[in-house]
């Protein structure tokens, strides 16, 4: 997958289509919003957001963020739905939650805060909005919703993506401008009362889950400072939908000063947090900015993973010789670090040096059996060496880890085809096209697979594929032109 930020097409039409579909199913009158309504809205919004926004799929990042979210969520009272998290590949300093227990963490937030506690503080606050049902209550207050107000609702949810520039950062801004004329368009902007309540319960969740409560006002102070000294995309877009930070900081500090000393002195090792920051900085930040960050530090202070991060950035800048030198330093001091091994292996794979890449990737996969990326590239090397049985087995494991990744499915289909399994190749290529939002190709490969299905097992695979393609997540407006949709994804496996 490609780690660069995509440049998506505007999505207002797609969002409106989703909203119209939602209205056609549910109607527009809401005397009250039930938990079932929230779950359904959350599901539909999640489908739309995943169809149009770029998401990170790196296991190193996903498992870490999921762990932090789950830890905070463990402090919540019993909920009628699970808390689901995802990482948005966008450098805005933002996070948002939607009805039904969905929470989205932007990579810019992970890079903008200084510790896991601070990341957990934002998560706690957002989950406070969820548990207090602030969105549902605002909808109930409106009693009647129309297309314009629902557009405003989605704009409010996605406002965190606003900002200047020609990428996904201007998404929320475009929607907000388009819906600002309606008086109801801001009805889901959180009120100061909502914010105070989310701060209150969010701080409780933060403390109960074992984090330092000081992290919440610290995070808000970081955002305030960024808004004072920065402009454009660097201003935390979190401020747009979460007003009144100054008075909330005062309130939080007043609450915290009465807490026990052992709570206020809690401290966590920052190793995992810094590892995730390093990989995101190398992948997500402009290569010039990321390189300047590492070059500004004394070389003696750079960790093994820092050297690997420099290697990734130098590779992005097409400075392969310097990149190889950086990876050599990283491997020299971190020969047993699975992330260093993985990134060095990927580098050598992309340089066409499978002999150097293979042992690094294999060792990385042994040290971190859940790292789908190491397995992905190892499977590709095995296929190049004509070990089709081993390559298929390993790539199928990768597909179980990231079942909706179109490129994983594409390579699995290619390997199956090369091995002689033409039916299996068309099945996987149909999945690949479906998850890549190319309806026409998905149907083409489905028809080919249908014509080849003979055994009961093949017919069951075909039925499962048909259910996936015809399921509720299908983009009814997809015209079969996948190129724009491909640009809207954060493609991870290269």
């Amino acid at each position: 997958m490609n780690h660069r930020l995509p440049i998506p097409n505007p999505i207002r039409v797609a969002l409106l289509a989703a909203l119209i579909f939602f209205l056609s199913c549910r109607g527009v009158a809401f005397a009250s919003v039930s938990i079932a309504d929230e779950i359904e809205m959350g599901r539909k919004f999640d489908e739309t957001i995943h169809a149009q926004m770029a998401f990170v799929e790196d296991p190193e990042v996903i498992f870490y963020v999921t762990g932090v979210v789950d830890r905070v969520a463990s402090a919540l009272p019993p909920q009628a739905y699970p808390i689901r998290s995802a990482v948005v590949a966008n450098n805005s300093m933002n996070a948002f939650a939607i009805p039904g227990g969905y929470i989205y963490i932007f990579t810019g937030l992970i890079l903008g805060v200084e510790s896991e506690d601070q990341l957990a503080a934002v998560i706690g606050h957002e989950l406070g909005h969820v548990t207090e049902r602030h969105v549902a209550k605002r909808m109930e207050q409106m009693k009647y919703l129309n297309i314009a107000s629902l557009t405003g609702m989605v704009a409010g949810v996605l406002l965190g993506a606003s900002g200047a520039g020609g990428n996904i950062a201007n998404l929320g801004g475009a929607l907000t401008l388009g819906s600002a004329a309606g008086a109801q368009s801001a009805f889901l902007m959180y009120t100061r009362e909502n914010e105070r309540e989310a701060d209150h319960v969010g701080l409780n969740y933060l403390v109960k889950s074992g984090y330092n409560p000081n992290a919440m006002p610290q995070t808000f102070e970081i955002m305030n400072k960024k808004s004072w000294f920065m402009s454009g995309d660097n201003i935390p877009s979190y401020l747009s939908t979460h007003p009144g930070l100054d008075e909330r900081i005062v309130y939080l500090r007043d609450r915290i000063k009465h807490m026990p000393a052992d709570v206020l002195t809690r401290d966590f090792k920052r190793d995992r947090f810094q590892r995730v920051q390093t990989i995101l900085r190398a992948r997500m930040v402009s290569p010039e900015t990321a390189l300047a960050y590492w070059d500004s530090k004394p070389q003696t202070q750079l960790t093994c993973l820092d050297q690997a991060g420099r290697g990734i950035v130098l590779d992005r800048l097409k400075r392969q010789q310097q990149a190889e030198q950086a990876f050599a330093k990283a491997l020299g001091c971190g020969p047993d670090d699975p992330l260093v091994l993985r990134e060095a292996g990927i580098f050598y794979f992309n340089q066409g040096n499978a002999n150097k890449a293979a042992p690094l990737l294999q060792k990385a996969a042994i040290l971190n059996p859940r790292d789908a990326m190491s397995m992905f590239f190892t499977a590709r090397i095995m296929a190049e060496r004509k070990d089709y049985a081993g390559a298929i087995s390993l790539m199928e494991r990768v597909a179980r880890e990231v079942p909706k990744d179109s490129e994983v499915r594409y390579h699995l289909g290619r390997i199956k085809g090369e091995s002689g399994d033409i039916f299996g190749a068309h099945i996987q290529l149909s999945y690949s096209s479906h998850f890549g939002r190319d309806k026409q190709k998905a149907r083409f490969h489905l028809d080919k697979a249908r014509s080849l299905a003979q055994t009961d097992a093949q017919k069951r695979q075909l039925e499962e594929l048909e259910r996936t393609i015809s399921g509720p997540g299908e983009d009814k407006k997809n015209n079969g032109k996948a190129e724009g949709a491909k640009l809207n994804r954060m493609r991870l496996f290269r």
Side-chain angles (χ1 to χ4, degrees):
M1 276 185 164
N2 186 332
H3 291 264
R4 283 183 251 169
L5 276 172
I7 303 176
N9 298 323
I11 67 163
R12 182 191 288 176
V13 174
L15 283 171
L16 285 174
L19 290 170
I20 291 169
F21 175 72
F22 172 75
L23 290 174
S24 67
C25 294
R26 303 276 313 170
V28 296
F30 288 88
S32 64
V33 179
S34 68
I35 295 295
D37 291 327
E38 287 191 59
I39 293 172
E40 181 68 4
M41 283 189 295
R43 185 183 66 79
K44 290 184 180 297
F45 287 154
D46 184 65
E47 288 173 1
T48 301
I49 291 166
H50 269 85
Q52 302 297 343
M53 299 182 79
F55 285 78
V56 174
E57 297 174 15
D58 187 330
E60 188 81 16
V61 178
I62 295 303
F63 293 150
Y64 172 75
V65 172
T66 300
V68 178
V69 171
D70 289 348
R71 178 170 184 161
V72 178
S74 68
L76 273 56
Q79 299 297 302
Y81 37 69
I83 301 298
R84 302 176 177 90
S85 61
V87 181
V88 180
N90 184 278
N91 284 331
S92 297
M93 192 173 180
N94 198 29
F96 65 86
I98 60 176
Y102 296 85
I103 181 168
Y104 305 89
I105 314 298
F106 284 42
T107 53
L109 177 66
I110 300 171
L111 287 167
V113 297
E114 299 171 352
S115 68
E116 181 176 313
D117 298 68
Q118 292 176 358
L119 177 62
V122 176
I123 292 168
H125 176 92
E126 288 303 309
L127 292 181
H129 286 302
V130 171
T131 59
E132 300 311 303
R133 304 185 68 227
H134 288 150
V135 170
K137 290 174 182 177
R138 294 297 297 278
M139 291 175 67
E140 289 171 352
Q141 290 169 3
M142 292 302 299
K143 295 189 185 331
Y144 184 85
L145 304 179
N146 55 35
I147 291 290
S149 61
L150 277 175
T151 303
M153 175 172 64
V154 179
V157 170
L158 297 183
L159 187 62
S162 64
N167 57 27
I168 198 167
N170 63 10
L171 162 65
L175 282 166
T176 304
L177 290 174
S179 62
Q184 296 175 337
S185 65
F187 80 102
L188 281 185
M189 296 288 286
Y190 292 129
T191 65
R192 291 178 184 269
E193 182 180 350
N194 293 154
E195 294 298 347
R196 175 68 71 88
E197 192 170 30
D199 287 342
H200 178 77
V201 298
L203 189 64
N204 291 341
Y205 301 153
L206 191 67
V207 173
K208 189 175 179 181
S209 57
Y211 289 105
N212 192 318
N214 283 303
M216 187 171 284
Q218 286 171 357
T219 306
F220 293 158
E221 286 167 351
I222 289 172
M223 291 181 180
N224 261 348
K225 287 178 182 177
K226 286 182 180 291
S227 69
W228 296 336
F229 295 111
M230 298 183 180
S231 60
D233 291 347
N234 292 318
I235 294 179
S237 42
Y238 198 77
L239 302 179
S240 302
T241 48
H242 296 74
L245 285 188
D246 288 331
E247 63 182 62
R248 290 162 54 199
I249 290 170
V250 172
Y251 160 75
L252 288 166
R253 289 290 187 199
D254 186 61
R255 267 198 70 191
I256 291 169
K257 71 182 181 182
H258 299 292
M259 292 184 179
D262 63 325
V263 172
L264 302 180
T265 56
R266 287 174 177 170
D267 192 22
F268 287 87
K269 291 182 179 179
R270 302 190 178 189
D271 294 356
R272 289 196 66 203
F273 173 76
Q274 290 172 342
R275 287 171 67 81
V276 168
Q277 273 197 328
T278 298
I279 203 69
L280 289 179
R281 179 172 287 108
R283 296 292 186 203
M284 304 295 302
V285 176
S286 73
E288 296 80 8
T289 301
L291 187 60
Y293 169 83
W294 278 303
D295 286 349
S296 67
K297 291 185 172 185
Q299 291 295 300
T300 55
Q301 292 183 11
L302 296 182
T303 66
C304 307
L305 192 57
D306 283 333
Q307 293 289 1
R310 286 188 76 253
I312 294 169
V313 171
L314 289 164
D315 186 33
R316 290 172 64 193
L317 290 169
K318 310 300 182 185
R319 292 157 61 176
Q320 273 76 29
Q321 186 174 359
Q322 290 175 280
E324 186 168 9
Q325 292 171 355
F327 279 118
K329 291 180 181 178
L331 290 167
C333 71
D336 296 318
D337 185 324
L339 194 52
V340 169
L341 291 163
R342 181 189 84 178
E343 294 303 328
I346 292 172
F347 170 76
Y348 285 117
F349 177 89
N350 290 327
Q351 294 300 303
N353 193 338
N355 289 332
K356 268 196 171 182
L360 297 172
L361 292 166
Q362 289 167 358
K363 186 175 180 180
I366 292 170
L367 291 171
N368 185 2
R370 297 190 67 184
D371 189 346
M373 287 182 70
S374 298
M375 291 187 288
F376 172 80
F377 287 102
T378 299
R380 290 181 63 182
I381 292 173
M382 294 170 74
E384 289 177 0
R385 295 173 174 175
K386 311 300 182 185
D387 179 7
Y388 295 123
I392 290 170
S393 176
L394 194 55
M395 195 66 83
E396 286 177 338
R397 282 182 58 191
V398 177
R400 288 193 292 272
E401 289 286 341
V402 282
K404 296 184 179 181
D405 187 278
S406 65
E407 194 161 1
V408 169
R409 297 286 191 163
Y410 170 76
H411 282 283
L412 180 54
R414 280 192 58 184
I415 297 170
K416 282 180 175 283
E418 290 173 11
S419 74
D421 181 2
I422 307 303
F423 169 81
H426 283 297
I427 287 286
Q428 295 303 323
L429 292 174
S430 182
Y431 276 119
S432 174
S433 300
H434 173 69
F435 295 131
R437 309 194 71 75
D438 189 335
K439 182 178 179 181
Q440 185 175 349
K441 281 189 177 180
R443 287 290 176 184
F444 169 80
H445 289 294
L446 171 63
D447 291 339
K448 288 289 187 180
R450 185 181 289 117
S451 69
L452 295 168
Q454 294 181 348
T455 68
D456 289 342
Q458 288 176 333
K459 290 175 183 177
R460 286 193 295 271
Q461 288 183 59
L462 193 65
E463 290 172 359
E464 184 178 351
L465 172 60
E466 289 173 333
R467 284 195 298 271
T468 300
I469 291 179
S470 303
E474 183 180 9
D475 181 1
K476 305 299 182 181
K477 299 297 182 181
N478 191 328
N479 62 4
K481 297 179 181 179
E483 188 60 31
K486 287 178 182 176
L487 292 175
N488 286 334
R489 299 181 62 248
M490 169 67 178
R491 297 177 66 240
L492 181 65
F493 297 96
R494 294 175 295 182

